[in-house]
Amino acid sequence: GNSVTQMEGPVTLSEEAFLTINCTYTATGYPSLFWYVQYPGEGLQLLLKATKADDKGSNKGFEATYRKETTSFHLEKGSVQVSDSAVYFCALSDGNTGGFKTIFGAGTRLFVKA
Amino acid sequence: NAGVTQTPKFQVLKTGQSMTLQCAQDMNHEYMSWYRQDPGMGLRLIHYSVGAGITDQGEVPNGYNVSRSTTEDFPLRLLSAAPSQTSVYFCASRPTAGLPTDTQYFGPGTRLTVL
């Protein structure tokens, strides 16, 4: 079945450091891939997405490229801020099943120190 | 637009009690879903609906019922609460049921504790 694997956290960085959060997936078809972010005490919100191979999603300085050959969708940011402290979820939605069952990774908590 | 709203924000139940978590959206979205969030496990799909009158099971449906009588509302019922149902519950919606590229919009969550 479909699955998403994320690097375990927590990840602790100093302000202005480079961020990478790894995400790999298993899917039978051609899924759409998402990164959602959850700030403390809130629901999830979309950070970025990519819907086909080699697409790059970007938002608020974050980027991720849909790599079909390595089944990966790693999240990167060149210079993190304290306000980026949150939990980040990688997710996939499989078009073969109508995308009705989105699969989420376990989440990676990021702490950014001033 | 209020987006996706959930009530209550917090709830404490005793084992065996029943209750309904409310979810509503005002965006005329076709698709609605319920997830539970547990530490180290991410979000797991409980039930989903692709339109009024149509629901189906997700990954972890046991102990939960849903119905969708209107486009706007998608309540989640716990039939007989158990400590294993202690979790944070999120409702989500997206515009088009059968479009996997659509973004999901999440409510603020309900934190449920079962004693």
Side-chain angles (χ1 to χ4, degrees):
Chain A
N2 297 340
S3 66
V4 174
T5 303
Q6 283 180 243
M7 63 187 287
E8 284 191 32
V11 174
T12 303
L13 296 173
S14 297
E15 215 166 17
E16 299 184 3
F18 185 85
L19 169 71
T20 299
I21 300 178
N22 289 339
C23 171
T24 58
Y25 69 89
T26 302
T28 52
Y30 298 91
S32 296
L33 301 174
F34 304 81
W35 277 101
Y36 285 87
V37 59
Q38 184 181 31
Y39 297 104
E42 299 183 8
L44 280 70
Q45 56 187 271
L46 180 72
L47 180 60
L48 53 84
K49 67 180 178 182
T51 59
K52 61 183 188 297
D54 299 325
D55 267 1
K56 177 186 282 189
S58 61
N59 185 26
K60 299 181 182 179
F62 290 90
E63 291 183 342
T65 301
Y66 187 162
R67 302 278 187 211
K68 193 168 186 306
E69 63 275 14
T70 54
T71 61
S72 65
F73 192 54
H74 304 321
L75 182 69
E76 296 181 336
K77 187 175 185 184
S79 176
V80 294
Q81 305 300 312
V82 172
S83 57
D84 294 326
S85 297
V87 182
Y88 293 82
F89 292 92
C90 186
L92 76 81
S93 184
D94 185 357
N96 281 354
T97 57
F100 298 149
K101 298 183 179 181
T102 301
I103 304 297
F104 286 84
T108 302
R109 185 176 295 276
L110 171 66
F111 292 106
V112 181
K113 302 182 296 185
Chain B
N1 279 355
V4 180
T5 57
Q6 291 184 237
T7 56
K9 244 183 131 45
F10 301 95
Q11 183 70 49
V12 178
L13 293 178
K14 294 181 181 175
T15 297
Q17 287 185 315
S18 62
M19 79 158 293
T20 300
L21 308 185
Q22 301 292 344
C23 173
Q25 53 91 8
D26 61 357
M27 300 173 283
N28 201 32
H29 285 178
E30 286 185 348
Y31 177 93
M32 296 185 73
S33 55
W34 276 102
Y35 295 87
R36 58 178 289 172
Q37 182 181 26
D38 301 294
M41 303 188 75
L43 276 72
R44 291 181 293 168
L45 182 66
I46 304 171
H47 286 284
Y48 66 93
S49 168
V50 299
I54 308 170
T55 64
D56 205 347
Q57 296 181 352
E59 192 183 350
V60 288
N62 292 342
Y64 307 96
N65 269 0
V66 292
S67 60
R68 184 123 178 248
S69 55
T70 66
T71 299
E72 294 77 22
D73 300 300
F74 190 44
L76 178 73
R77 293 183 199 82
L78 279 70
L79 309 172
S80 176
S84 60
Q85 294 178 303
T86 294
S87 187
V88 181
Y89 291 84
F90 288 101
C91 180
S93 71
R94 74 177 192 218
T96 309
L99 199 58
T101 57
D102 262 359
T103 299
Q104 289 201 75
Y105 296 83
F106 285 80
T110 294
R111 184 174 293 275
L112 174 69
T113 303
V114 183
L115 303 175

